[in-house]
Amino acid sequence: MQRRDFLSSALALAAASTLPAARADVVSGGQPWEPGKASVPPLAAPRQGGLAFFTQAELDMAGALADRLIPADDLSIGGKEAGCAVFIDRQLAGDYGKGATLYRLGRFVKGTPEQGTQSPFTPAERWRKGLAAIDAYCGRAYSKPFVQLDASQQDDLLHAMENGTLDLGREVETKELFEQILANVREGFFADPLYGGNKNMASWKMIGFPGARYDFRDLIGKKGQKLQIIPTSLVDNTL
Amino acid sequence: MAHARPKADVVVIGLGWSGSVIAEELARAGLKVVAIERGAWRDTASDFPPSVDTDELRWATRKEILQPPKLETYTFRNNASQQALPVREWSNLTLGYNVGGAGTHWAAASWRFNPFDFQPYSKTIERYGKGQLVPGLQVQDWGITYDELEPFYDRFERIAGTSGQAGVVNGDIIPGGNPFEGSRSRGYPTPPLVPSRWNDIFTEKTTEMGYHPFPVPAGTISRAYVNALGVHMGPCTYCGYCQLFGCGNWSKSSPNACVVPALMRQPTFEVMTETEVLHINKSADGKTATGVSFIGKDGVVGEQPADIVIVAAYQLDNVRLMLLSGIGQPYDPRTKQGVIGRNYSFQTLSYAYLWFENEYLNPFINTGCLAIQIDDFNADNFDHTGLGFIGGAGIQSLSNNGLPIGMAGVLPKQAPAWGKGWKKAFQHSYQNWAMIQGQGTSYAHEAMYFDLDPTYKDNYGRPLMRMTFDYNLNDKRSGEFIRKQCEAIAHAVGGTQVESYNFANDHYTPFRANDSSHTIGGVVMGTDPKTSALNRYQQSWDVHNVFVLGASSFPNNGGFNPTVTLGALALWTAKAIREQYLHNPGPLVQA
Ligand SMILES: Cc1cc2nc3c(=O)[nH]c(=O)nc-3n(C[C@H](O)[C@H](O)[C@H](O)COP(=O)(O)OP(=O)(O)OC[C@H]3O[C@@H](n4cnc5c(N)ncnc54)[C@H](O)[C@@H]3O)c2cc1C
Ligand code: SF4
């Protein structure tokens, strides 16, 4: 078998990617399973303290946005306290932020709504440009940055973004930006605390989701009943 | 630079469901089989143990084991007058990209098609006449009947360990099963799953309405089972991390759990992982294939010579590889000549979403396919006279989703998407939302097809495939008919808020939430080389040592998920190769 020379030559035609790579190999004569090997998620450093992508001002702004999208009330803590901004910071530093899975070859032409986004920017670039554009707008309209607006002004601005009525300049698709911010904030609120958000599994307790539990054979018979399961998470990496 | 490997008897492109079952059949028959798989090796013990699997963000949101658009995507437009643009982000076609293919992360609804689905043309003409077909619809028979495929369905179920309740065995109707199904030679290998609360509500009301509910056959198996290849499977735990996830319990029917362990024991089999086939090579006279060219992830290009080439790279890549390799005449929608890229169909979905007031549906207790279905409006199970369409849908109460990121947007239309109002609405909706899905048939139309994109390229500078697709009049009418049935059931079960949708009422988009991933056709089997690329054995009419497996072979889609049918067809083709082709290599059917 010539697997060694097949594998050792390195003419890198394939575009470099940070996507997870397992064994490139010729496998035969049994399953190449090795004890003690587990496929753990790639996590952006730092996991405890410090910023991975955002500046402090951007982090504060992401936290303020998260607190309007998911405000504190008697159902749960707010998005900021839950760690949504920290979660987003780490996500944007990693493969997600870099757009590692996106098709990013040109030409970039605006299409029909059915054809989906044709943005040339990565999610990290969209956040950075988007936050700057929102703050520039707040500077013009209120002579203040977003974080210093009161809650109802912040809500008005978010409504205008959601409806696509706010013009954030040539480089920012307002509605797409709003949808991305909302999606990432929700992810931070609901993903396993492993990723830095969902502090104390607050969101799971709010809706009654049991989290990282893998066996319900003992409960499937209890149909239509409130189950009161105490949730479990994988690892807690919240600050 | 091209590195030539030793010649194999058979090269298999792609090691998903189709590729793994045929590789196992042919390696067991003693042939030297080399599979080439673009994705990585994945197995239960390292990649999907319960301590790794219970992670919605990683697997369902970021889709870590799926094939990323960066690696290969397709361009899309609704009709030929538009410019097609690339699908840049994750779309609803969540393709497989590892040993096991999409069979690792599928939902495992394990259906046989209805007998009508194999002969839609002749059966429609016989019952209604040609006038039933809307203009431009490309409806044709498959060249194989349900009865011919039955033994292979049976074998596939014994490999997959399918759980279910038979409805018709040797012509006898069995209570509790699907009375409309094609007759089976015996029951399922394992009994049905325990239904969810939502499943029970649906069963009760649809029975009262005079319909015939039955459990959806499931590859999330109900109890421990040793399959036909001697592989052990464990019982499903209703963990709810199923569709888009691997299974940590060896409970989900998948190539990884059911086939690969047996296949890897075959001494004449090997698989090259993280290696992509670029194209199929042909002999100088173009009448046979000589093997395939591939590229490793390190960029090294190589050649794998083989006597038989099995194309099993999923529907989309099957079509693209045929176009890139110049096998079969590409379809031209203006002249309606040509076969590669012809007969593209999809899955016409209709839904009713409903909300109860004070339920505890406990949606986190589920499997990818925990459902009760009625087939009263599927296939030709009801009289279509005067309706202006053919086909229909399986209508099911599906309990397949309780994960919070995904469900956070599933709220009544008037509910806010954020803020305190959203929190309150979501807290209520999480336990009270249910869906009725009409999974509809789809028939090809002469204006909808695949070809190579003139503008956009892959990472190697080769054209992407271009999809030109929108719903046709038959889809719109059948989708509307099914939407009304779903809506009526949603009211009957006591939904206090009901929203219903016929997806075919809007233009198709690859980005619609809860849409299907089932792309069908493009290299179809049939009886006439003018309208099909393959004969009834899935053998190329033009290049006789090329066999193409997958849903690309289906001239139309049934009102079911496609996989058990394509698995049965892979076994059918394996038998034809073993028992006929090896003795006398050449066309198995004369054109
Ligand atoms: C989320 C989801 C849920 C689904 N649920 C169901 C369900 O409930 N029931 C059902 O019946 N069906 C379901 N399906 C569909 C089902 O997964 C497919 O029908 C089935 O996996 C197709 O099998 P296949 O062998 O044709 O292709 P795949 O399983 O996709 O395998 C193809 C393989 O080929 C590889 N490949 C592609 N191109 C190349 C190349 N050029 N060189 C080398 N390798 C290549 C790919 O990496 C892949 O591993 C679902 C699909 C998805 C995405
Ligand atoms: S629901 Fe069942 S089959 Fe699906 S992943 Fe969980 S244990 Fe496996």
Side-chain angles (χ1 to χ4, degrees), chain A residues 5 23 43 51 65 88 94 103 140-141 149 155 164 179 191 221 227:
Chain A
D5 49 350
R23 291 148 246 181
L43 291 178
L51 292 177
L65 284 161
I88 293 166
Y103 177 79
R140 287 195 303 276
L149 303 187
D155 282 358
E179 276 159 20
L227 295 177

Side-chain angles (χ1 to χ4, degrees), chain B residues 64 92 110 114 153 198 338 386 465 512 554 557 582:
Chain B
E64 199 176 297
N92 54 34
S110 300
N114 183 285
Y153 269 137
W198 166 226
M465 194 152 72
R512 188 162 190 166
F554 304 0
N557 200 3
L582 289 180

Side-chain angles (χ1 to χ4, degrees), chain A residues 214, chain B residues 220 236-242 246-247 249 251-252 366-367:
Chain A
Y214 213 68
Chain B
T220 59
C236 170
T237 60
Y238 305 81
C239 80
Y241 292 91
C242 200
C247 174
N249 290 330
S251 318
K252 177 160 43 164
N366 72 60
T367 89

Side-chain angles (χ1 to χ4, degrees), chain B residues 84-103:
Chain B
L85 294 178
V87 170
R88 295 186 178 278
E89 301 195 317
W90 294 115
S91 69
N92 54 34
L93 309 188
T94 42
L95 308 176
Y97 179 41
N98 53 256
V99 170

Side-chain angles (χ1 to χ4, degrees), chain A residues 149-210:
Chain A
L149 303 187
D150 65 35
S152 72
Q153 289 170 324
Q154 289 177 334
D155 282 358
D156 288 347
L157 190 139
L158 283 167
H159 281 299
M161 284 180 69
E162 184 178 21
N163 303 332
T165 52
L166 192 73
D167 184 358
L168 289 175
R170 215 165 37 86
E171 285 213 310
V172 179
E173 288 274 353
T174 305
K175 227 172 135 57
E176 276 182 19
L177 174 68
F178 176 83
E179 276 159 20
Q180 184 178 348
I181 291 174
L182 179 62
N184 292 160
V185 166
R186 280 184 185 166
E187 288 160 11
F189 194 56
F190 289 113
D192 195 281
L194 171 65
Y195 297 98
N198 195 7
K199 187 169 194 158
N200 296 328
M201 302 177 280
S203 68
W204 295 352
K205 290 173 186 162
M206 172 177 110
I207 56 171
F209 174 66

